Amino acid sequence: MTSVTMTVNGKSVTRDVEPNTLLVQFIRENLRLTGTHVGCDTSQCGACTVHVNGDSVKSCTMLAVQAEGADVTTIEGLANGDELHPMQEAFKENHGLQCGFCTPGMIMSAVDLVKRNPNPSEDTIRHELEGNICRCTGYHNIVKSVKSAAEKMGG
Amino acid sequence: MSAVENGIGASVTRKEDQRFITGNGNYLDDINKAGQAYGHFLRSPYAHAKIKNIDLTAARAAPGVIDIFVGADMAADEVGGLICGWGISSKDGSPHVAPPHPCLAMGSVKHVGDQVAFVVAESVQEAKDAAELIEVDYEELPSVTDVRKAGVAGAAQVHDEAPGNQCYDWEIGDKEAVDAAFANAHHVTKMDLINNRLAPNPMEPRAALGEYDRGTGEYTLYTTSQNPHVARLILSAFVNIAPEHKLRVIAPDVGGGFGSKIFVYAEETTTIWASKKVGRPIKWTADRSEAFMTDAHGRDHATHAEMAFDADGHILGFRVATKANMGAYLSTFASAVPTYLYATLLNGQYKMPCIYAEVQALFTNTTPVDAYRGAGRPEATYVVERMMERAARDMNMDPTDLRMKNFIAPDAYPYETPVIMTYDSGDYPQTLNLAKNMISYDGFQARKAESASRGKLRGIGSAAYIEACGIAPSAAVGSLGAGVGLWESAEVRFNPTGSVTVFTGSHSHGQGHETTFAQLIADKLGVPFDNVEVVHGDTTKVPFGMGTYGSRSLAVGGSAIVKAADKIVEKAKKIAAHLMEASADDIEHAHGVFSVAGTDKQLTIGEIAFAAYVPHNYPEDLEPGLAENAFYDPLNFTFPAGTHIAEVEIDPATGVVEVVDWAAADDFGNVINPMIVEGQVHGGVAQGIGQALLEGVVYDDDSGQLLTGSYMDYCMPRADDLPNFKVEATNTPCPSNPLGVKGCGEAGAIAAPAALMNAITDALGKEIDMPATPEKVWRAAQSA
């Protein structure tokens, strides 16, 4: 066991973990933050996307110990209390989700996308979301959601 | 637009979204129980092998191992194998062959991924590590995976019980009439078509959490199911887990299904059984590789079709012969998919005087094949619509003109087809014309020329699809071999303070029932949308349920809710009459307001509900309370139909197909929530485009190994593979249910493959099979 300390959604957390524990396992199993999902074994689907020090990361590609000292944000930490993040609001308003399983990862990727591309074109959105798989929506309304959120976020 | 806020016809944003966008969904792997152990399956590395011995000694001694189970352990408990719930008879009257389907292998394995042993340990990692220590002595046997080879003399035999690997050899229609029609034909179009095998890939992998209560003798199975009551029924009546009243099945938030979560699988069954054996809750969660190996696949047909025409282009007869791959075992509803869900739709939208179809279902050493979004109907539409387009080109006609010439007329309903369906309503010329307008069909030649000026090949293709949804009238499906009735149940329960809880046997795994069904109550009973809660997915809470598949939730489940709401109104009228001192016959009702005709007296449903639960002033002959149950059995299938038109541009230098435009014109009858319906079309089309361009399960022909076992190898549609979609609707209300709705969940997946392959054929001037990968398209373009 190894001790690991990081800040998750603004709170400092310390746990003893096996050294091979993935960040996503740490988040789901040690912290019981189950909004971050696991949809594949090959780092393709993006359901586990979180922010590490402000950048989107597939949390299945990183060991928990690699996040030592890092500032991690999961979907549970995105809203400001009861006030939804504009990206969350946009997904709801534009029917950007159906079963909801890919949604946390999709939203976390989209927030990072807009941070780096404040006024993204449709092509940019589609290209940037290539690492997040959704089986329900056909992406049409996800693209619409991201565009709408980007406008509201002041792009 | 509706008369009430958030009622029928309003694009209300979804109730369920709040928990999903904040990470508060409750999917199966998010649930944990005190004392929970973890299960892991050791799986066959071979497509076909005899198991000579299994040595568990080293594995049992591994750290954290609680117990390990093999097939003999389940057999000793008389926990039976898995069943197929739909009986199909061959031409000679013999029943289909259903070989044993054990949850854990009994002496042999039949496909890569077949379950061999179940390890229960303190952690997933310990269970996996221990599984690696199990020593299985296999004797590898020859295998067959290709449906075109499975029935050939000398092919490897999957089951001793199924000579020639045949499950059944079935027919429908009038062979003699078709032979006569072909004898008189002016023109005959022939095609050989492959409908590629697909992996369904809901983003949430299957999972199960089984728990046994020694105090009560009750089992609770949390499972990723589209139909928890059906799972309970099968696990009780056929698999012998526990009597129905001692088995609770809960399907919480389920992350997509697309058919694959209808079925009762080995893993869920083994998990719930083993929870009693070890005396602890056990959780099993599939990883994506397991999903590829074990979630029931879809499609996998090889078809030869011939269509006869007269000199004017009218269809005279249609002849179809299909080989359908069942996989290694017969899955829960597998036998029905290539028969009654397929060949009964070969009439398409057309006046076809006669049809004859033969379907040979064959076992192979592959993952079982069962219903996947559309289930048989995409395969039917693919055959009919590829044929229509090809026939038009053969006869030098515009494909849309050939369709228009052969359409069933809008005034011809009810219309009986030669393959047992009675279409209820429709206007096929209208949806075709709408789709053509949406995509500016008449301007295509100019766009093609412009593409050509850039060295690109442009093509346009249509598909006029029809499906049979709202599955289904129990008597009808019973006569065709179904082992269950296909009604739906609902309870509408007023709480004393006027809010409403709706219990439905439909299951939502992305469809938005919590919203759509609340809209029905808001509209019918005038209860504010926010005061309606929809409960589903728990056999202890919901009266009963046949579940969600076949685009049936609104047409059947929604109709059950409407029936229950009608009963509420009837009772409320009696209470209102008493309270307002009038005759019940004089009470008028609209959207939850009950008034005495000709007066200004009125009461709201909330006031009546309160009176029903606090019955101080109440009719003597009436029971207190305001809650009603209803079971609804539909009168007929529903028949959504429409036309999708795809436009593509191909780069002959790379073979990449770009879908540049998509027009979907659908007739779903009445629509409750247009936003949700459009979303269903988007998702269905995306899966159809996936089938046509990207997806395909591939097995190695020699070894039977699954070559597409992860997202590294199986190409899922991504955001940058797809266009925006133009979606519009027409409406011929469905006459056979009280809502006039037809169902929208599968349409896109049914229409899209044929439309897209027709567009690619148009661009290339030659035919290729799905998926139209860049390599295949490039080769075709180079040899053009």
Side-chain angles (χ1 to χ4, degrees):
Chain A
M1 290 286 205
T2 306
S3 176
V4 60
T5 298
M6 66 186 84
T7 302
V8 178
N9 300 333
K11 287 183 194 156
S12 178
V13 295
T14 301
R15 295 287 190 279
D16 289 332
V17 298
E18 294 291 343
N20 64 354
T21 303
L22 299 172
L23 179 59
V24 67
Q25 291 174 312
F26 180 78
I27 290 167
R28 286 184 58 80
E29 291 161 27
N30 294 82
L31 305 181
R32 291 284 188 237
L33 291 169
T34 55
T36 301
H37 297 150
V38 178
C40 74
D41 341 310
T42 51
S43 296
Q44 294 282 311
C45 81
C48 66
T49 305
V50 299
H51 294 171
V52 176
N53 296 327
D55 296 328
S56 71
V57 166
K58 290 180 177 176
S59 60
C60 70
T61 61
M62 199 172 164
L63 296 168
V65 294
Q66 290 177 293
E68 172 71 31
D71 189 0
V72 175
T73 304
T74 70
I75 187 71
E76 290 92 341
L78 193 61
N80 180 15
D82 286 341
E83 188 192 332
L84 294 174
H85 186 280
M87 192 62 73
Q88 292 170 309
E89 193 70 54
F91 269 67
K92 180 179 166 76
E93 286 302 315
N94 295 285
H95 193 27
L97 65 150
Q98 290 181 26
C99 83
F101 194 81
C102 77
T103 308
M106 196 68 80
I107 287 176
M108 297 309 279
S109 287
V111 169
D112 186 51
L113 177 176
V114 173
K115 185 187 79 178
R116 289 180 288 102
N117 306 274
N119 189 15
S121 66
E122 187 193 319
D123 275 355
T124 300
I125 295 169
R126 288 186 179 274
H127 181 69
E128 286 276 341
L129 291 181
E130 196 258 358
N132 290 76
I133 302 177
C134 169
R135 191 57 151 170
C136 294
T137 64
Y139 305 99
H140 181 113
N141 284 342
I142 289 177
V143 173
K144 200 170 151 190
S145 301
V146 176
K147 215 162 172 41
S148 157
E151 284 161 16
K152 286 187 181 137
M153 286 161 72
Chain B
M1 204 56 196
S2 170
V4 301
E5 194 181 0
N6 298 326
I8 290 173
S11 283
V12 185
T13 58
R14 303 195 318 168
K15 280 175 178 286
E16 42 274 86
D17 287 358
Q18 180 68 24
R19 65 181 187 273
F20 296 144
I21 58 178
T22 55
N24 290 296
N26 185 40
Y27 300 93
L28 207 133
D29 194 55
D30 303 342
I31 301 170
N32 294 289
K33 296 286 170 183
Q36 171 178 299
Y38 295 85
H40 175 74
F41 288 89
L42 177 70
R43 298 183 179 281
S44 170
Y46 298 112
H48 195 191
K50 188 183 286 182
I51 297 176
K52 294 162 75 176
N53 187 48
I54 303 177
D55 185 349
L56 301 175
T57 315
R60 283 196 183 281
V65 170
I66 298 165
D67 210 339
I68 304 175
F69 302 101
V70 295
D73 298 317
M74 293 188 88
D77 266 13
E78 295 183 348
V79 173
L82 303 175
I83 60 142
C84 176
W86 198 307
I88 298 294
S89 296
S90 285
K91 292 169 184 168
D92 63 6
S94 60
H96 73 234
V97 179
H101 186 179
C103 292
L104 297 172
M106 294 289 286
S108 65
V109 284
K110 306 292 189 187
H111 68 95
V112 169
D114 211 351
Q115 300 74 221
V116 174
F118 185 53
V119 182
V120 182
E122 297 293 344
S123 71
V124 175
Q125 193 58 53
E126 286 170 322
K128 286 184 179 178
D129 288 347
E132 291 198 2
L133 298 174
I134 298 175
E135 290 182 22
V136 185
D137 187 3
Y138 291 103
E139 178 187 333
E140 198 178 352
L141 299 171
S143 64
V144 61
T145 56
D146 186 334
V147 73
R148 291 166 294 184
K149 297 178 181 173
V152 173
Q157 290 297 291
V158 182
H159 295 280
D160 293 342
E161 296 84 351
N165 293 318
Q166 183 171 295
C167 176
Y168 55 75
D169 182 15
W170 174 89
E171 65 181 345
I172 192 169
D174 188 336
K175 185 173 189 301
E176 286 178 15
V178 169
D179 288 345
F182 274 78
N184 295 320
H186 173 78
H187 171 78
V188 173
T189 285
K190 300 181 181 181
M191 287 184 94
D192 288 294
L193 292 160
I194 299 292
N195 207 293
N196 45 329
R197 176 183 279 241
L198 303 175
N201 277 303
M203 292 316 297
E204 180 203 24
R206 279 191 300 123
L209 173 53
E211 190 174 26
Y212 177 72
D213 184 328
R214 288 192 187 283
T216 61
E218 281 180 20
Y219 290 86
T220 303
L221 173 63
Y222 298 82
T223 181
T224 46
S225 175
Q226 300 177 213
N227 43 348
H229 280 91
V230 174
R232 187 183 66 165
L233 176 64
I234 292 174
L235 290 172
S236 292
F238 300 99
V239 183
N240 200 26
I241 292 291
E244 274 184 287
H245 65 291
K246 291 292 186 189
L247 175 58
R248 179 181 184 184
V249 179
I250 298 172
D253 285 330
V254 173
F258 314 113
S260 69
K261 291 171 180 172
I262 297 171
F263 319 118
V264 174
Y265 288 91
E267 293 88 352
E268 292 85 330
T269 307
T270 306
T271 300
I272 185 67
W273 167 78
S275 68
K276 181 180 179 186
K277 304 295 281 186
V278 303
R280 289 172 60 177
I282 302 172
K283 187 198 273 189
W284 165 79
T285 304
D287 59 31
R288 186 56 60 184
S289 302
E290 289 182 287
F292 274 107
M293 288 189 288
T294 64
D295 288 7
H297 290 168
R299 321 289 191 247
D300 205 347
H301 284 194
T303 294
H304 176 75
E306 302 182 351
M307 197 178 276
F309 293 87
D310 71 13
D312 294 328
H314 293 110
I315 301 166
L316 295 175
F318 192 24
R319 184 188 280 151
V320 177
T322 293
K323 290 186 190 306
N325 199 334
M326 295 285 100
Y329 304 101
L330 213 44
S331 177
T332 315
F333 290 108
S335 55
V337 176
T339 49
Y340 291 111
L341 296 176
Y342 165 68
T344 55
L345 277 307
L346 287 171
N347 187 80
Q349 301 185 354
Y350 308 108
K351 288 173 286 189
M352 289 199 197
C354 53
I355 297 172
Y356 178 66
E358 300 169 280
V359 179
Q360 187 186 23
L362 294 151
F363 293 108
T364 59
N365 296 108
T366 62
T367 300
V369 179
D370 206 325
Y372 166 66
R373 200 171 195 166
R377 292 152 289 169
E379 295 92 314
T381 287
Y382 191 68
V383 172
V384 174
E385 290 305 290
R386 291 295 309 275
M387 289 290 287
M388 289 301 283
E389 199 114 340
R390 166 71 176 268
R393 292 183 211 287
D394 287 351
M395 295 187 283
N396 293 317
M397 292 176 70
D398 179 285
T400 62
D401 290 342
L402 180 67
R403 290 185 174 92
M404 201 61 90
K405 185 186 279 280
N406 283 284
F407 276 151
I408 295 164
D411 61 0
Y413 300 96
Y415 183 87
E416 282 190 38
T417 76
V419 278
I420 73 171
M421 288 294 185
T422 303
Y423 295 171
D424 57 0
S425 66
D427 188 338
Y428 309 142
Q430 188 187 18
T431 41
L432 176 66
N433 285 329
L434 175 59
K436 287 176 75 171
N437 287 338
M438 287 163 70
I439 208 158
S440 304
Y441 193 83
D442 294 340
F444 172 74
Q445 290 305 332
R447 298 194 293 276
K448 187 180 173 78
E450 191 279 328
S451 292
S453 74
R454 290 182 285 109
K456 304 289 176 66
L457 306 171
R458 203 172 185 102
I460 195 163
S462 313
Y465 73 95
I466 188 160
E467 47 176 331
C469 296
I471 295 172
S474 296
V477 295
S479 72
L480 303 178
V484 291
L486 288 171
W487 39 264
E488 195 49 273
S489 86
E491 180 181 343
V492 174
R493 186 190 298 171
F494 270 84
N495 301 307
T497 51
S499 63
V500 170
T501 309
V502 176
F503 299 85
T504 172
S506 298
H507 186 277
S508 185
H509 32 279
Q511 296 87 343
H513 295 167
E514 290 169 42
T515 302
T516 303
F517 291 170
Q519 288 179 253
L520 296 181
I521 296 298
D523 200 284
K524 298 284 178 192
L525 299 177
V527 177
F529 175 77
D530 289 338
N531 291 354
V532 184
E533 194 71 17
V534 175
V535 175
H536 67 95
D538 184 339
T539 58
T540 298
K541 293 179 179 172
V542 175
F544 206 92
M546 296 311 297
T548 289
Y549 39 84
S551 304
R552 70 191 301 271
S553 291
L554 189 57
V556 190
S559 293
I561 293 169
V562 169
K563 267 190 80 176
D566 288 345
K567 291 184 187 178
I568 291 275
V569 168
E570 284 312 301
K571 184 169 182 180
K573 278 184 176 176
K574 292 176 188 166
I575 302 169
H578 178 86
L579 292 174
M580 293 190 285
E581 297 176 335
S583 161
D585 293 340
D586 292 336
I587 302 295
E588 293 175 343
H589 168 251
H591 308 298
V593 176
F594 295 78
S595 49
V596 181
T599 75
D600 60 357
K601 287 189 194 173
Q602 63 177 44
L603 286 169
T604 65
I605 189 83
E607 293 169 302
I608 293 167
F610 189 77
Y613 284 98
V614 188
H616 296 165
N617 174 17
Y618 199 72
E620 278 181 14
D621 57 349
L622 208 59
E623 292 175 23
L626 195 56
E628 296 287 352
N629 268 306
F631 284 66
Y632 175 77
D633 201 340
L635 302 170
N636 190 1
F637 296 89
T638 65
F639 295 93
T643 293
H644 287 209
I645 303 181
E647 192 163 323
V648 300
E649 190 177 84
I650 293 171
D651 184 342
T654 64
V656 170
V657 176
E658 187 187 354
V659 182
V660 291
D661 206 355
W662 197 280
D666 301 294
D667 177 1
F668 297 132
N670 293 334
V671 167
I672 310 300
N673 185 320
M675 175 194 81
I676 288 177
V677 168
E678 284 180 22
Q680 289 292 311
V681 175
H682 297 159
V685 170
Q687 278 173 278
I689 292 175
Q691 171 167 25
L693 287 188
L694 307 166
E695 297 179 44
V697 174
V698 180
Y699 287 92
D700 181 75
D701 203 37
D702 290 329
S703 66
Q705 289 294 325
L706 175 65
L707 301 181
T708 49
S710 81
Y711 289 150
M712 309 289 280
D713 315 294
Y714 185 92
C715 191
M716 291 281 280
R718 315 241 178 174
D720 55 359
D721 294 317
L722 299 172
N724 279 321
F725 309 110
K726 294 173 180 163
V727 178
E728 291 189 31
T730 63
N731 180 9
T732 60
C734 177
S736 61
N737 65 61
L739 286 165
V741 298
K742 297 186 174 182
C744 65
E746 297 162 294
I750 293 171
L756 189 45
M757 292 310 291
N758 284 338
I760 291 169
T761 305
D762 184 47
L764 290 174
K766 60 170 65 173
E767 277 147 5
I768 58 174
D769 280 320
M770 298 189 288
T773 57
E775 183 193 342
K776 266 192 224 170
V777 173
W778 180 82
R779 286 184 190 283
Q782 297 311 304
S783 62

PDB file of all heavy atoms in Angstrom, chain A residues 27-38:
ATOM      1  N   ILE A  27     -10.995   7.233  -7.682  1.00  0.00           N
ATOM      2  CA  ILE A  27     -12.144   8.148  -7.614  1.00  0.00           C
ATOM      3  C   ILE A  27     -13.429   7.372  -7.323  1.00  0.00           C
ATOM      4  O   ILE A  27     -14.220   7.743  -6.465  1.00  0.00           O
ATOM      5  CB  ILE A  27     -12.263   8.933  -8.951  1.00  0.00           C
ATOM      6  CG1 ILE A  27     -11.107   9.921  -9.084  1.00  0.00           C
ATOM      7  CG2 ILE A  27     -13.613   9.641  -9.050  1.00  0.00           C
ATOM      8  CD1 ILE A  27     -10.962  10.514 -10.479  1.00  0.00           C
ATOM      9  N   ARG A  28     -13.626   6.275  -8.020  1.00  0.00           N
ATOM     10  CA  ARG A  28     -14.889   5.520  -7.877  1.00  0.00           C
ATOM     11  C   ARG A  28     -14.933   4.695  -6.599  1.00  0.00           C
ATOM     12  O   ARG A  28     -15.942   4.658  -5.904  1.00  0.00           O
ATOM     13  CB  ARG A  28     -15.099   4.577  -9.068  1.00  0.00           C
ATOM     14  CG  ARG A  28     -15.512   5.255 -10.356  1.00  0.00           C
ATOM     15  CD  ARG A  28     -15.796   4.225 -11.464  1.00  0.00           C
ATOM     16  NE  ARG A  28     -16.838   3.287 -11.073  1.00  0.00           N
ATOM     17  CZ  ARG A  28     -18.139   3.539 -11.123  1.00  0.00           C
ATOM     18  NH1 ARG A  28     -18.564   4.699 -11.566  1.00  0.00           N
ATOM     19  NH2 ARG A  28     -19.019   2.626 -10.733  1.00  0.00           N
ATOM     20  N   GLU A  29     -13.845   3.987  -6.329  1.00  0.00           N
ATOM     21  CA  GLU A  29     -13.893   2.988  -5.258  1.00  0.00           C
ATOM     22  C   GLU A  29     -13.393   3.530  -3.922  1.00  0.00           C
ATOM     23  O   GLU A  29     -13.990   3.245  -2.885  1.00  0.00           O
ATOM     24  CB  GLU A  29     -13.112   1.734  -5.679  1.00  0.00           C
ATOM     25  CG  GLU A  29     -13.837   0.993  -6.805  1.00  0.00           C
ATOM     26  CD  GLU A  29     -12.947   0.032  -7.577  1.00  0.00           C
ATOM     27  OE1 GLU A  29     -11.960  -0.453  -7.000  1.00  0.00           O
ATOM     28  OE2 GLU A  29     -13.236  -0.199  -8.766  1.00  0.00           O
ATOM     29  N   ASN A  30     -12.332   4.310  -3.933  1.00  0.00           N
ATOM     30  CA  ASN A  30     -11.833   4.836  -2.656  1.00  0.00           C
ATOM     31  C   ASN A  30     -12.631   6.057  -2.207  1.00  0.00           C
ATOM     32  O   ASN A  30     -12.890   6.224  -1.027  1.00  0.00           O
ATOM     33  CB  ASN A  30     -10.349   5.191  -2.769  1.00  0.00           C
ATOM     34  CG  ASN A  30      -9.494   3.957  -2.992  1.00  0.00           C
ATOM     35  OD1 ASN A  30      -9.379   3.487  -4.113  1.00  0.00           O
ATOM     36  ND2 ASN A  30      -8.918   3.401  -1.934  1.00  0.00           N
ATOM     37  N   LEU A  31     -12.990   6.919  -3.160  1.00  0.00           N
ATOM     38  CA  LEU A  31     -13.722   8.135  -2.791  1.00  0.00           C
ATOM     39  C   LEU A  31     -15.226   7.983  -2.984  1.00  0.00           C
ATOM     40  O   LEU A  31     -15.981   8.853  -2.571  1.00  0.00           O
ATOM     41  CB  LEU A  31     -13.216   9.335  -3.597  1.00  0.00           C
ATOM     42  CG  LEU A  31     -11.712   9.621  -3.520  1.00  0.00           C
ATOM     43  CD1 LEU A  31     -11.363  10.854  -4.337  1.00  0.00           C
ATOM     44  CD2 LEU A  31     -11.249   9.795  -2.064  1.00  0.00           C
ATOM     45  N   ARG A  32     -15.664   6.903  -3.645  1.00  0.00           N
ATOM     46  CA  ARG A  32     -17.087   6.660  -3.923  1.00  0.00           C
ATOM     47  C   ARG A  32     -17.724   7.819  -4.695  1.00  0.00           C
ATOM     48  O   ARG A  32     -18.903   8.126  -4.505  1.00  0.00           O
ATOM     49  CB  ARG A  32     -17.870   6.391  -2.632  1.00  0.00           C
ATOM     50  CG  ARG A  32     -17.520   5.048  -1.979  1.00  0.00           C
ATOM     51  CD  ARG A  32     -18.158   3.883  -2.703  1.00  0.00           C
ATOM     52  NE  ARG A  32     -17.985   2.615  -1.979  1.00  0.00           N
ATOM     53  CZ  ARG A  32     -17.400   1.529  -2.502  1.00  0.00           C
ATOM     54  NH1 ARG A  32     -16.920   1.536  -3.738  1.00  0.00           N
ATOM     55  NH2 ARG A  32     -17.315   0.419  -1.806  1.00  0.00           N
ATOM     56  N   LEU A  33     -16.934   8.433  -5.557  1.00  0.00           N
ATOM     57  CA  LEU A  33     -17.489   9.435  -6.476  1.00  0.00           C
ATOM     58  C   LEU A  33     -17.807   8.693  -7.775  1.00  0.00           C
ATOM     59  O   LEU A  33     -16.949   8.497  -8.633  1.00  0.00           O
ATOM     60  CB  LEU A  33     -16.484  10.565  -6.709  1.00  0.00           C
ATOM     61  CG  LEU A  33     -16.240  11.472  -5.506  1.00  0.00           C
ATOM     62  CD1 LEU A  33     -15.041  12.380  -5.755  1.00  0.00           C
ATOM     63  CD2 LEU A  33     -17.491  12.305  -5.203  1.00  0.00           C
ATOM     64  N   THR A  34     -19.042   8.218  -7.902  1.00  0.00           N
ATOM     65  CA  THR A  34     -19.375   7.281  -8.978  1.00  0.00           C
ATOM     66  C   THR A  34     -19.905   7.970 -10.242  1.00  0.00           C
ATOM     67  O   THR A  34     -20.363   7.301 -11.155  1.00  0.00           O
ATOM     68  CB  THR A  34     -20.408   6.254  -8.483  1.00  0.00           C
ATOM     69  OG1 THR A  34     -21.535   6.967  -7.970  1.00  0.00           O
ATOM     70  CG2 THR A  34     -19.827   5.371  -7.395  1.00  0.00           C
ATOM     71  N   GLY A  35     -19.812   9.283 -10.279  1.00  0.00           N
ATOM     72  CA  GLY A  35     -20.207   9.980 -11.516  1.00  0.00           C
ATOM     73  C   GLY A  35     -19.201   9.768 -12.635  1.00  0.00           C
ATOM     74  O   GLY A  35     -19.533   9.918 -13.813  1.00  0.00           O
ATOM     75  N   THR A  36     -17.978   9.435 -12.298  1.00  0.00           N
ATOM     76  CA  THR A  36     -16.947   9.135 -13.298  1.00  0.00           C
ATOM     77  C   THR A  36     -17.078   7.662 -13.665  1.00  0.00           C
ATOM     78  O   THR A  36     -17.017   6.801 -12.786  1.00  0.00           O
ATOM     79  CB  THR A  36     -15.549   9.428 -12.718  1.00  0.00           C
ATOM     80  OG1 THR A  36     -15.506  10.811 -12.329  1.00  0.00           O
ATOM     81  CG2 THR A  36     -14.466   9.147 -13.730  1.00  0.00           C
ATOM     82  N   HIS A  37     -17.293   7.373 -14.951  1.00  0.00           N
ATOM     83  CA  HIS A  37     -17.657   6.018 -15.367  1.00  0.00           C
ATOM     84  C   HIS A  37     -16.528   5.307 -16.106  1.00  0.00           C
ATOM     85  O   HIS A  37     -15.605   5.947 -16.608  1.00  0.00           O
ATOM     86  CB  HIS A  37     -18.897   6.073 -16.266  1.00  0.00           C
ATOM     87  CG  HIS A  37     -20.111   6.608 -15.574  1.00  0.00           C
ATOM     88  ND1 HIS A  37     -21.099   7.288 -16.230  1.00  0.00           N
ATOM     89  CD2 HIS A  37     -20.482   6.582 -14.266  1.00  0.00           C
ATOM     90  CE1 HIS A  37     -22.035   7.640 -15.365  1.00  0.00           C
ATOM     91  NE2 HIS A  37     -21.677   7.236 -14.159  1.00  0.00           N
ATOM     92  N   VAL A  38     -16.675   3.998 -16.194  1.00  0.00           N
ATOM     93  CA  VAL A  38     -15.725   3.176 -16.951  1.00  0.00           C
ATOM     94  C   VAL A  38     -16.498   2.490 -18.075  1.00  0.00           C
ATOM     95  O   VAL A  38     -17.413   1.707 -17.804  1.00  0.00           O
ATOM     96  CB  VAL A  38     -15.058   2.105 -16.056  1.00  0.00           C
ATOM     97  CG1 VAL A  38     -14.123   1.229 -16.886  1.00  0.00           C
ATOM     98  CG2 VAL A  38     -14.295   2.777 -14.919  1.00  0.00           C
TER      99      VAL A  38
END
